[in-house]
Amino acid sequence: MVGVLEGFATIAVVVAVGWLLADRRILDDSAQVNLSRLAFYVASPALLLTVMQRTSLQQVLSTNLVTSLTSFVLVVGVYLLIARLRWGAGTLGSQLVGSLSAGYVNAGNLGIPIALYVLGDVAWVAPTLLMQLLLVTPVYMALFDSDARDERPTLVRSIGRMFRNPITLGAVAGLLVAVFDIHLPRVVAAPIDLLGAMAVPSMLVAFGISLRRGPRPATGRAAEQVWTVVALKTLVMPAIAFGVGLALGLRGQALFAVVVTAALPTAQNIFTYAVRYRREVNLARDAIFVSTFASVPVILGIAALFHGFAGV
């Protein structure tokens, strides 16, 4: 369980640095926007290229991938149904941010250490990471771009936008490098690695600034929506993953892995997307903040149950 706490503590420290810099007026709202843009246009694509080229496709193309994708689709469907019945349809952008906040897990900077220390192997989180990078992100980026241009999403437009978005391009480039076993020369790989290393710190510092400069998390009229998203993310999604995994024949460590991964909090990427497209920034921020704290006892509880009853 130490690995779970270490992963969360690392994130908390970097977020606290952003909060402190904003509190001391060293960085302001413009720094938050610029850091988010840096992460979106440069650092995240470089990080995705690096991650994808090092991911073994044999390890990720498995039942775990199907379980992760099914769990995501189902929890997004539940969120959209609740949102329509409770708060009205809203804009496409608000639906995109809300549904991502409910279903897009922090499989990178939190999922990797938790997979290593709690699950025993980083490969367990790879199916979810691949699913989010190559399936979910391109589709959502295309829809975000259409919403930003006030266009009606069509298949042709969406496909075109997918391959003009830097996030998608980074993931696809990494996949191609992996599939064709291309070995990038050091003079190319080293700068990409260096740029990719900026992604997570940039997101977390920008997030810390928003916590200091913005309204207090999960308060006001949006509180109900935030808590609904957090409940879906930390409770409903792992329950769905458990049921889907059982139905698909997963047992033991494999089932434990998909449930723990589904219980991870909302990814910081969603805040970066919300800032970039100027859609529901506070909702994304609050969902990340609250779900990060809420997921700690949930993951510890899941681990205890599996160790106690399944002997994992």
Side-chain angles (χ1 to χ4, degrees):
M1 303 309 141
V2 175
V4 178
L5 300 178
E6 285 181 350
F8 283 101
T10 300
I11 287 178
V13 169
V14 182
V15 170
V17 169
W19 189 95
L20 183 62
L21 290 172
D23 185 63
R24 297 292 91 193
R25 301 184 184 278
I26 297 172
L27 297 178
D28 56 13
D29 293 337
S30 63
Q32 171 199 320
V33 173
N34 289 331
L35 284 169
S36 296
R37 287 176 177 171
L38 175 66
F40 184 87
Y41 286 104
V42 179
S44 290
L47 178 63
L48 296 181
L49 193 156
T50 301
V51 169
M52 290 308 305
Q53 71 175 342
R54 296 174 181 171
T55 301
S56 170
L57 295 183
Q58 288 75 19
Q59 288 179 313
V60 297
L61 296 177
S62 62
T63 306
N64 291 43
L65 179 68
V66 178
T67 304
S68 295
L69 178 59
T70 305
S71 301
F72 174 82
V73 171
L74 290 176
V75 81
V76 164
V78 172
Y79 168 79
L80 293 176
L81 178 62
I82 294 174
R84 180 174 291 276
L85 294 176
R86 186 69 183 174
W87 308 298
T91 64
L92 174 60
S94 66
Q95 293 178 56
L96 293 173
V97 173
S99 60
L100 280 176
S101 298
Y104 199 104
V105 307
N106 191 337
N109 52 315
L110 250 185
I112 289 174
I114 287 177
L116 179 62
Y117 292 110
V118 178
L119 304 175
D121 190 348
V122 173
W124 286 116
V125 79
T128 299
L129 196 61
L130 179 74
M131 179 272 293
Q132 292 186 159
L133 295 182
L134 294 184
L135 297 177
V136 175
T137 299
V139 171
Y140 269 82
M141 291 299 100
L143 294 173
F144 269 123
D145 285 333
S146 294
D147 181 60
R149 290 172 171 78
D150 198 23
E151 296 176 346
R152 181 182 178 84
T154 65
L155 181 60
V156 174
R157 283 176 180 169
S158 296
I159 292 174
R161 301 237 184 269
M162 280 184 193
F163 294 100
R164 290 199 296 269
N165 188 282
I167 300 291
T168 304
L169 290 176
V172 171
L175 178 64
L176 293 176
V177 170
V179 168
F180 293 103
D181 196 24
I182 299 171
H183 296 280
L184 298 177
R186 186 63 186 165
V187 70
V188 175
I192 292 175
D193 290 344
L194 193 60
L195 289 171
M198 294 193 302
V200 173
S202 298
M203 292 180 201
L204 295 179
V205 170
F207 184 67
I209 295 171
S210 74
L211 288 176
R212 177 63 183 87
R213 303 283 296 178
R216 197 168 59 180
T219 57
R221 291 182 296 176
E224 180 185 355
Q225 189 172 5
V226 171
W227 287 107
T228 300
V229 166
V230 170
L232 289 172
K233 177 76 247 7
T234 58
L235 299 175
V236 176
M237 190 170 182
I240 291 175
F242 180 76
V244 172
L246 279 178
L248 293 178
L250 293 180
R251 299 292 186 273
Q253 186 74 5
L255 182 61
F256 178 47
V258 296
V259 176
V260 167
T261 303
L264 290 168
T266 305
Q268 275 83 20
N269 311 43
I270 312 309
F271 177 74
T272 300
Y273 303 157
V275 172
R276 162 63 183 86
Y277 292 103
R278 300 179 183 179
R279 298 291 188 271
E280 301 292 347
V281 174
N282 286 338
L283 173 61
R285 184 202 66 165
D286 294 357
I288 294 165
F289 180 79
V290 179
S291 68
T292 297
F293 284 99
S295 64
V296 177
V298 172
I299 292 175
L300 291 174
I302 290 170
L305 287 172
F306 270 86
H307 281 289
F309 294 102
V312 175

